[in-house]
Amino acid sequence: MSNLKITCVIVDDEPMALNLVESYVEKTPFLELKKKCSSAIEAMEFIKNEPVDLLFLDIQMPDLTGLEFSKMLPKDTRIIFTTAFDQYALEGFKVEALDYLLKPFDYAEFLAAANKASTWFRLVKGNQQSLLSEEKEFLFVKSEYKQLRIKLADVLYFEGLKDYIKIWLKDNPKAVLTLMSLKSLEEELPETKFMRVHRSFIVSLKNIEVIERSQIIINNQRITVSEQYKPKFLAFVNNNSLNT
């Protein structure tokens, strides 16, 4: 996590404020600017298609205020409010803002708030995502208020369900349910042992029993290999097939 990048969007109806915060973001190595928006409505449309980690969000804006917008955000998107009015500080912390920058603020103040966000994201990624051993033989996942140790050798496949993952294990008819994205998990799993074959499935390669046209069978479960992932999967099959 030493190279953690925080994706962000700046939202402010004042062009000078937008440009100032943009200049601050550009000189902060761990921030990655995805968009600057002149209204909350513009930002809302952007985030629908491209979620980000952090918003630098003005409060007093026409049509939809920053406070109103903050209550509509995905739960994983955090906020640093930027405003000229200190009376909103209490409301800001009610919506769990990471910090509250009072205009005019300098780069030192901005950096302090950004560092607070960086610390928060490091803690979240350390505690809520899987913690893999260096040998990648097991992972810890949070399920029902407990940290469960899952041996990778026992995993048949992972099934993604919106913000959750079902982990299907050998000799266990009931899946382990954990709050995690399939994309985050995919980045951490050893590529030689697991492969994404569908937007909703990552399979254990050694536990594939049958390949039938565009389907894999594991433990009597049929999993479709989607077009997006088919080239990589077929390359794996060809590399592990006996020539006849």
Side-chain angles (χ1 to χ4, degrees):
M1 273 184 280
S2 58
N3 296 320
L4 175 70
K5 278 276 190 180
I6 300 171
T7 57
C8 63
V9 167
I10 307 165
V11 190
D12 202 308
D13 63 331
E14 298 176 9
M16 286 183 63
L18 269 179
N19 293 335
L20 179 65
V21 177
E22 180 184 19
S23 71
Y24 289 169
V25 168
E26 287 176 347
K27 67 171 77 170
T28 308
F30 56 85
L31 295 179
E32 181 180 350
L33 182 62
K34 291 294 186 180
K35 181 78 170 173
K36 57 178 186 177
C37 303
S38 58
S39 72
I41 293 171
E42 182 187 357
M44 182 167 58
E45 288 303 311
F46 178 80
I47 291 170
K48 278 182 185 176
N49 299 314
E50 189 170 346
V52 296
D53 298 319
L54 180 66
L55 291 188
F56 292 96
L57 182 60
D58 187 23
I59 291 181
Q60 281 205 337
M61 292 183 289
D63 299 323
L64 187 67
T65 70
L67 284 171
E68 290 167 338
F69 179 42
S70 69
K71 296 169 185 175
M72 304 174 186
L73 290 171
K75 60 181 178 58
D76 292 331
T77 303
R78 311 312 302 167
I79 305 159
I80 293 176
F81 281 119
T82 61
T83 181
F85 303 95
D86 60 5
Q87 68 263 34
Y88 294 115
L90 180 59
E91 287 297 319
F93 287 109
K94 279 183 181 178
V95 295
E96 299 183 354
L98 293 179
D99 212 340
Y100 186 98
L101 288 169
L102 189 62
K103 298 175 182 177
F105 50 86
D106 57 22
Y107 180 63
E109 292 169 301
F110 174 89
L111 184 59
N115 280 328
K116 189 180 292 187
S118 177
T119 299
W120 190 91
F121 280 107
R122 286 175 187 278
L123 287 171
V124 166
K125 289 182 184 294
N127 293 333
Q128 293 185 357
Q129 294 183 1
S130 61
L131 302 176
L132 292 171
S133 71
E134 290 183 6
E135 297 81 16
K136 299 192 184 303
E137 293 178 353
F138 61 88
L139 55 83
F140 282 100
V141 298
K142 190 174 182 180
S143 181
E144 296 180 351
Y145 306 103
K146 294 179 289 188
Q147 290 282 350
L148 301 181
R149 185 178 186 268
I150 304 292
K151 290 176 65 176
L152 290 181
D154 291 340
V155 175
L156 297 172
Y157 57 91
F158 300 92
E159 181 180 1
L161 300 168
K162 291 187 178 179
D163 295 328
Y164 289 85
I165 291 175
K166 280 185 175 181
I167 305 172
W168 293 94
L169 304 169
K170 294 177 182 177
D171 305 318
N172 191 343
K174 185 179 179 182
V176 174
L177 189 67
T178 185
L179 179 63
M180 189 189 306
S181 75
L182 211 60
K183 185 177 185 299
S184 298
L185 176 67
E186 181 186 11
E187 291 171 355
E188 297 187 43
L189 289 171
E191 291 185 3
T192 55
K193 297 179 181 179
F194 294 89
M195 186 178 292
R196 182 86 169 260
V197 297
H198 188 276
R199 62 178 300 197
S200 300
F201 289 96
I202 296 174
V203 301
S204 167
L205 295 172
K206 74 170 187 176
N207 286 308
I208 295 173
E209 298 164 4
V210 178
I211 301 170
E212 186 177 301
R213 295 182 182 176
S214 294
Q215 290 191 321
I216 296 166
I217 300 176
I218 300 179
N219 197 36
N220 296 320
Q221 171 69 36
R222 287 182 176 270
I223 298 170
T224 298
V225 181
S226 67
E227 291 297 323
Q228 179 182 353
Y229 301 100
K230 193 174 288 185
K232 186 176 179 181
F233 180 71
L234 290 177
F236 160 76
V237 173
N238 291 335
N239 289 338
N240 289 275
S241 296
L242 292 174
N243 293 324
T244 56

